[in-house]
Every structure is written in structure tokens, then in C-alpha cells.
Amino acid sequence: MAEILFERGGVALEATPGTPITAPTYYLPARMVLSPRQTVYRPEESRGTRAQFYRSKVVKQWSEWSLDAAGADVYTLPVLLNMAVASVTSPTTPTGATTARLWTFTRSQTSVTERTGTLFWGDPNVQSFRAAYGVVDGFSITGDASGDEAVTMAFNGRARALEKIATPTWPAQLVGPLVTPLESQLWLDTTSPIGTTAINGRVISAAFSVDGLRGDPKFVFAGPSASKTPARFGIGRTAATLRLRFELLDTAQYDLLMNESVVKARVRFNGPQIEPGFYHYIEIDIYGMLDEPEWGEFAGTNRSFDVTITSQYDATAGHDWSIKVQNDRTGL
């Protein structure tokens, strides 16, 4: 029988979208599930009996995959962001650094540069599966200083129909250091460049998320005995959100809301030091107004203030949101 604890999840970035890779090149450390999906046509017919259906036929097949919320991994994240945001195959070296490397993911506003991936999953003692043309539909990165978890990440997406395969050769697990919320930083700016005005001593949590990155699957005529799986996945307009929670020490953030200010927000989830002055981190930039205000409670005794930033295009930056990952990896 298939044992959940033996299940493995992995991915290989595809050179040609939809052309499957033989074996995974990246082992995904969080719990993954790759699930079959299909639609069945059952015609309504009148044959003089109480049975509602007499015939059925599978007309479409595809897969859905998810990576459960787990500790954000600064080694795995760049691979997944290649599928979710933009193709980045090599990092830059920050000024003054020797071993630190910076991966910058900013989606193109006028073209599709995101990579596709072949996904692998299963208990190798029973059955392994793979699905080509894997795409990311949405993901989240969350850090909550009031909780007891590290910074977490979660991903979900779709792929072509999964297929049974012989157990592939799995790569070694490459697991990066954990990133914890208490070491995080936030900057909120209006007229100054992003990353100028630090907000200290009051930020409780930050939760970034984006969904709908890919459109509906595209099914087209493909001839006799053709696969019933999608030919392609489209792409549409999407906005990301950053949900922030502050302890209400004064009305500074409330005033930004009431003044209808468009802010430039930068949240950085810091991890261990790589070398003096340089740390592992995940950094998110987003532009937009403070919205969806809510009062809350902090630690059972104090008032908190929640707001959401929904991304909008910033002409100076040339985008509405972007993500950077700093680690010590020279390659994916």
C-alpha cells in the first residue's frame, strides 16, 4: 500500500514547454500532492426507464498540484519562482559581497517568461507519477511574529494529465536554512524611494499572496487517438496582495489609509547570516493603496490594525510587485 510518509515531490524545469523531463532535478521539501482531474460527458437520453444515464465518455483530463504551507526555503524558492514569476537562471552578486547571491524575480508586463515544469510525485515503493507542462496558479509567503511558525510558503497549480512511470532517479535533497518572522523588516514609503522608511517596533505579520496567474486550460483538436489533456495554459491580468498587521501604537498607518496614500511597501523576511553584512532573505516589493482596514487584538490585551495592499502598476519601478531571494547559491 502507498504510505504517505514515503511520498516524494519534485520538479524539473522544462526546456520546451510540455516536453516531459525523465527525472526530477529538484526535490521539493514540503509535502506535495499531484492529483488527477477529468470531466465526463453523460448525455441525457430518454429510453423509457428510470435510469438517468446510459453512456459516458471522458472528454478532458488534466492534473492539479499543491505544495502545502511549510517553512519557506531560500534554495527551493528560486526554482518555483521561475515557474510563477519569471525565468531567472543565474543570480547577481550584491555590491561588497563575496558568497551572497541575489535572485530577482520581476514578471514581464508585456510577455510570458515564466517556465513550465515536469512534476513528479508518489510513493516509489508503490507507484511514481509525473505530469508535464506544470504551471503555477498561485502562491503565498507568510510571516507572523505572534505565532510559533517560521516564515512559510505554499504553492498550487495545474499540469497536463499525470502518467505512471518507473521510479525515477531522485536528486539529493537540497534544503536551505529556515527564515523566522522575528527577524523580518518592513519599509513603507510614499514620496521617498522604496526601502527608505523603516517601520520599527509595531509590525506583527505580513502575508503576501497572488492567485489566478494562469488562465483556463486550452483544449484544441488534435486528431484520432489524441490526448485529452490541455495543449496550453493561458495567462491573464492579476494583482497580488500584501496583508499587514500592526500594533496600534499611534495613528501613523491609519493616517496613510485615511489620506488615500499610494505606498511603496517592502517586506524582508531575514534568515541566517551568509557573510558579514549579508543574510539569507526573501524580499517582496509591492505598490498600492492601504485598503480593507480592520481592528483586531494583539496578545489578548492590545489593539491591532490590519490593512491590505492590492498591487498596482508603478511607473518608476515598471511593475506592480516583485520578489527577491538572497542566498549563497550560484545556480538553481
Side-chain angles (χ1 to χ4, degrees), residues 40-247:
V40 178
Y41 174 65
R42 298 177 178 90
E44 290 276 1
E45 299 178 272
S46 179
R47 299 201 184 187
T49 73
R50 296 178 64 178
Q52 185 174 7
F53 302 116
Y54 290 86
R55 295 181 293 170
S56 58
K57 179 75 171 178
V58 174
V59 295
K60 294 177 181 178
Q61 294 176 319
W62 70 98
S63 303
E64 295 179 356
W65 66 275
S66 62
L67 198 66
D68 287 353
D73 190 298
V74 295
Y75 290 168
T76 304
L77 192 54
V79 177
L80 294 171
L81 292 178
N82 264 269
M83 297 172 62
V85 185
S87 175
V88 180
T89 56
S90 60
T92 59
T93 302
T95 302
T98 301
T99 57
R101 299 292 185 267
L102 186 63
W103 301 80
T104 302
F105 296 90
T106 303
R107 62 179 182 169
S108 170
Q109 297 295 304
T110 57
S111 62
V112 180
T113 65
E114 297 91 328
R115 302 282 298 275
T116 60
T118 301
L119 298 160
F120 298 83
W121 174 80
D123 175 356
N125 299 310
V126 177
Q127 183 62 58
S128 295
F129 301 88
R130 76 174 178 184
Y133 210 106
V135 299
V136 172
D137 285 325
F139 68 97
S140 63
I141 300 173
T142 302
D144 184 354
S146 67
D148 296 321
E149 295 183 334
V151 175
T152 61
M153 66 179 189
F155 282 77
N156 67 86
R158 288 167 293 173
R160 287 180 176 162
L162 57 81
E163 58 181 333
K164 295 194 295 184
I165 59 171
T167 301
T169 301
W170 283 84
Q173 292 194 43
L174 181 66
V175 182
L178 290 172
V179 178
T180 58
L182 292 182
E183 299 168 279
S184 302
Q185 298 168 278
L186 175 73
W187 294 264
L188 281 179
D189 291 287
T190 52
T191 58
S192 301
I194 192 169
T196 300
T197 307
I199 308 299
N200 297 315
R202 66 183 63 199
V203 185
I204 302 168
S205 65
F208 173 87
S209 65
V210 60
D211 292 302
L213 291 173
R214 290 285 183 161
D216 292 335
K218 300 178 179 180
F219 296 89
V220 298
F221 287 6
S225 302
S227 168
K228 298 180 175 70
T229 200
R232 294 173 295 278
F233 290 94
I235 198 161
R237 290 191 297 265
T238 55
T241 62
L242 180 67
R243 184 69 172 172
L244 297 170
R245 171 167 290 178
F246 303 92
E247 184 175 12

Side-chain angles (χ1 to χ4, degrees), residues 48 51-52 89 97 123 139 143 145 175 222 243 254 256 294-295 304 307-308:
Q52 185 174 7
T89 56
D123 175 356
F139 68 97
V175 182
R243 184 69 172 172
Y254 173 83
L256 287 174
E294 294 286 349
W295 301 121
S304 62
V307 290
T308 296

